[in-house]
Amino acid sequence: MIKTEHLSKAFGEIQAVDNIGIEITDNSIFGLAGTNGAGKSTFLRLLSGVLKPDQGSILIDEKSVYEQEEIKREIFFLPDSAYFIPNATGKSMADWYSAYYPKFDKKRFDELSKRLDLDTKRKIHTLSKGMKRQVSMLLGICAGTKYLFCDETFDGLDPVMRQAAKSILAYEVTEREFTPVIASHNLRELEDICDHVGLLHKGGVLLSREVEDMKLHIHKIQCVIQNPVLEEELLRELDVVQHEKRLSLMTLVVRGEKDKIMEIVESKFPVFAEMIPLTLEEIFISETEVAGYDIKDLFY
Ligand SMILES: Nc1ncnc2c1ncn2[C@@H]1O[C@H](COP(=O)(O)OP(=O)(O)OP(=O)(O)O)[C@@H](O)[C@H]1O
């Protein structure tokens, strides 16, 4: 488990990480969202033991991480721009990392590289940006560490690769002790993969929630109600976060329990009504409104 308390780091006048207290439970996929400059990279570098905190503590499996080799061998950090030895191939990088990470699984590296159609004998500097990201992601996954910290790792991948990467990560989480933390400035990159999402803003945590838990309490409905009086009633009776109407089709984002919401909708005799899945972005819009922020100002 990762636990930080009052974690702070400044660069001169800039407070990059400001009093972060967060818990990341084992075998969950933790998404770290935030705009450019929110402090995501600094936070991950602190977690990896690359930077020393000015204040506060970081405990990983109850051990302090800064300058502690034993726990660092359980951490693989994928920075925004990955480091490769000059002239290295995927295979030679796998050999290189095996020397430091005793649980590095070369067989799995070969297997996953084949699956993603990556030639591990090719010089990495000749690969495209997205392919380089794939190689570094596979190196990180196959290192066999308990923790993998990814800084914008998914952002350069095409949609097919992103899905493949997500399914590989999800598989690893179910198969072994593995806790990835994925930072992204784009909530859509974290969609469908994270169990828990923390939102960073100006170095602090604006909110941190279980995705499933949030989904239980907020829903999206599309419906057509022909009677304008009943439509007005519906908007009054529901706890509406957002609503829009196109021709006769109303789309509502509503707080509350699913069954109760549908009961109210049905009482207005809709011609058509159905629940549709909410995006992470829509959930966060409603959650941050409660905290007095407008996420649209943060992400657009
Ligand atoms: N080495 C450094 N020296 C000075 N300032 C820094 C340094 N590293 C980060 N900062 C500053 O700290 C703040 C947080 O930066 P950080 O890179 O952690 O944000 P981020 O959320 O990862 O942003 P991005 O999404 O753009 O990568 C920024 O204002 C940045 O300019």
Side-chain angles (χ1 to χ4, degrees):
M1 189 174 90
I2 300 171
K3 188 173 178 184
T4 74
E5 277 178 354
H6 305 295
L7 187 64
S8 299
K9 178 78 190 171
F11 299 103
E13 299 279 285
I14 300 164
Q15 193 65 48
V17 164
D18 190 9
N19 198 25
I20 291 187
I22 216 167
E23 277 190 21
I24 301 176
T25 48
D26 285 348
N27 282 74
S28 68
I29 303 183
F30 191 96
L32 194 62
T35 43
N36 292 133
K40 304 176 298 292
S41 302
T42 308
F43 182 65
L44 289 186
R45 286 158 75 206
L46 286 163
L47 288 191
S48 312
V50 176
L51 287 176
K52 189 176 181 210
D54 295 337
Q55 272 166 16
S57 62
I58 308 164
L59 292 179
I60 297 189
D61 293 341
E62 296 177 0
K63 293 183 195 89
S64 177
V65 65
Y66 188 71
E67 288 181 341
Q68 299 297 321
E69 276 311 304
E70 191 195 338
I71 192 67
K72 277 189 173 182
R73 279 177 203 267
E74 286 299 345
I75 296 169
F76 196 103
F77 178 39
L78 285 175
D80 196 5
S81 42
Y83 168 74
F84 299 112
I85 297 167
N87 282 322
T89 61
K91 192 182 171 311
S92 68
M93 284 306 295
D95 293 338
W96 190 67
Y97 278 122
S98 315
Y100 186 75
Y101 294 106
K103 288 182 271 180
F104 195 102
D105 190 341
K106 288 197 209 173
K107 196 164 153 259
R108 180 112 175 101
F109 181 74
D110 285 342
E111 201 180 280
L112 290 176
S113 299
K114 273 201 193 91
R115 205 162 117 195
L116 300 189
D117 214 11
L118 283 172
D119 182 353
T120 58
K121 294 192 189 77
R122 248 181 90 174
K123 295 258 168 67
I124 293 173
H125 71 83
T126 68
L127 301 177
S128 75
K129 200 168 75 190
M131 288 156 99
K132 283 181 190 143
R133 292 215 167 219
Q134 290 169 38
V135 174
S136 56
M137 189 194 70
L138 292 190
L139 289 166
I141 288 171
C142 296
T145 55
K146 192 170 165 192
Y147 299 97
L148 176 67
F149 302 148
C150 309
D151 196 356
E152 318 242 328
T153 306
F154 290 86
D155 297 23
L157 301 181
D158 67 44
V160 176
M161 266 321 142
R162 198 155 53 224
Q163 270 324 108
K166 285 178 179 183
S167 76
I168 294 169
L169 278 185
Y171 176 81
E172 294 290 319
V173 170
T174 55
E175 287 303 299
R176 63 180 174 101
E177 279 196 315
F178 187 53
T179 306
V181 179
I182 304 166
S184 177
H185 61 267
N186 188 343
L187 271 176
R188 284 179 201 133
E189 303 287 349
L190 303 173
E191 189 90 61
D192 304 331
I193 185 160
C194 297
D195 306 304
H196 196 112
V197 177
L199 181 61
L200 283 194
H201 181 50
K202 292 188 179 161
V205 180
L206 205 56
L207 65 101
S208 174
R209 297 263 198 289
E210 290 292 326
V211 175
E212 278 312 305
D213 191 45
M214 288 193 286
K215 284 188 175 168
L216 279 180
H217 300 107
I218 183 141
H219 302 278
K220 188 172 181 175
I221 305 118
Q222 285 196 319
C223 59
V224 176
I225 294 166
Q226 279 177 327
N227 183 330
V229 178
L230 292 176
E231 194 179 280
E232 280 284 306
E233 270 183 31
L234 180 71
L235 292 175
R236 267 201 313 274
E237 288 172 28
L238 292 174
D239 184 358
V240 179
V241 178
Q242 273 183 299
H243 99 268
E244 64 168 35
K245 195 171 173 188
R246 290 215 179 130
L247 301 172
S248 57
L249 182 71
M250 269 210 301
T251 305
L252 306 165
V253 177
V254 178
R255 269 193 211 101
E257 303 305 315
K258 187 175 171 184
D259 292 349
K260 185 71 195 156
I261 294 168
M262 277 321 263
E263 200 179 293
I264 295 173
V265 175
E266 295 297 343
S267 75
K268 310 304 170 204
F269 308 107
V271 179
F272 158 83
E274 72 170 358
M275 291 259 179
I276 52 176
L278 268 166
T279 63
L280 208 52
E281 213 166 80
E282 287 165 322
I283 296 174
F284 267 74
I285 288 170
S286 73
E287 290 282 333
T288 46
E289 267 176 357
V290 176
Y293 285 87
D294 187 345
I295 198 178
K296 281 169 275 175
D297 294 341
L298 302 182
F299 279 91
Y300 300 101

